[in-house]
Amino acid sequence: AADEGGARKKARRGGASAAAAALDQRPTLVVLYPQPGPGGNPLTAYKYPSLSAARKRAQGLVENVQFTIRVPPEGGDGVVFPPEGEDALRYLAEAIGQKALPPQPDVAMPPHVVTWDIDAPAAKRRPWAANVAAFSTEQRAAAMMRHLYLTAGPRLKYAWWGRFDPGSAAQTATPQCRLTGLGQFEPTFPVTSLAVLEDLQKGPPAAAA
């Protein structure tokens, strides 16, 4: 009986180990926030094939000041959330390994990423900011950029939109647009005016009958 119990325990550990590996193998974003001053880094977004690889890229940086990490949304387009903490991941893997919970579904990271910063000194402080969203189409990303500009106005420090190519390999987002609350666009990016954003938001023209 003791041997049987040990075998079951070993099997459960294997299940938890496999579940932990699956939880790690999620496409994960690392957003490096722009840093002021000479030599400051520009805003950049990276996508890595695993949570551990993303954390390795951010090692040595200050979270929520110099960078943030986000995992794919489970409900489709919209705000993306930070990963679970180490303890929560371990408990989740153990529960999945013991079949107390179903395995987490495979979720892709949408290719269009929008991140922003709004001047809101009176806002309630939270452990993390809801300031990164991912979208499946450029029309939805453009709509988000325009929404941020219209609702935040001059309090919008910046809204930035980047695009990832298809595939699961590590890559850097290609910048599409950078907009401030004063209506200023980054002239070297493909989207350089509010009119272009509005055209993109409308989507492609309907096919002729």
Side-chain angles (χ1 to χ4, degrees):
D3 289 342
E4 183 181 349
R8 286 201 303 269
K9 188 174 182 180
K10 185 177 180 180
R12 283 200 302 270
R13 282 202 302 268
S17 176
L23 288 168
D24 180 61
Q25 297 299 312
R26 288 180 284 177
T28 305
L29 291 178
V30 178
V31 177
L32 297 187
Y33 294 134
Q35 300 299 309
N41 292 324
L43 194 156
T44 314
Y46 301 93
K47 185 179 71 173
Y48 290 91
S50 68
L51 177 56
S52 56
R55 284 175 167 160
K56 185 176 181 181
R57 173 62 182 84
Q59 197 168 8
L61 301 177
V62 181
E63 190 168 9
N64 297 322
V65 176
Q66 295 176 299
F67 80 97
T68 192
I69 288 180
R70 296 289 189 269
V71 292
E74 293 185 12
D77 291 5
V79 171
V80 286
F81 298 88
E84 304 86 351
E86 295 287 353
D87 289 343
L89 280 172
R90 186 170 65 253
Y91 296 143
L92 185 57
E94 290 175 356
I96 293 171
Q98 295 174 6
K99 296 182 169 50
L101 288 175
Q104 296 290 291
D106 290 332
V107 183
M109 181 65 73
H112 297 275
V113 175
V114 175
T115 184
W116 60 91
D117 188 11
I118 295 174
D119 187 15
K124 181 181 178 181
R125 300 295 296 176
R126 293 179 173 86
W128 60 276
N131 64 348
V132 183
F135 300 94
S136 55
T137 67
E138 67 176 2
Q139 289 82 18
R140 292 181 177 181
M144 182 64 179
M145 294 289 289
R146 187 170 181 273
H147 168 76
L148 290 166
Y149 172 71
L150 293 177
T151 55
R155 295 186 300 114
L156 179 66
K157 295 181 180 179
Y158 66 80
W160 182 94
W161 164 18
R163 175 185 56 80
F164 291 105
D165 294 327
S168 58
Q171 57 180 292
T172 306
T174 302
Q176 302 299 296
C177 179
R178 191 178 191 279
L179 169 66
T180 71
L182 300 178
Q184 298 169 334
F185 283 75
E186 172 57 59
T188 61
F189 292 174
V191 180
T192 56
S193 73
L194 194 62
V196 175
L197 274 182
E198 291 170 343
D199 285 343
L200 284 174
Q201 181 187 350
K202 295 171 186 174

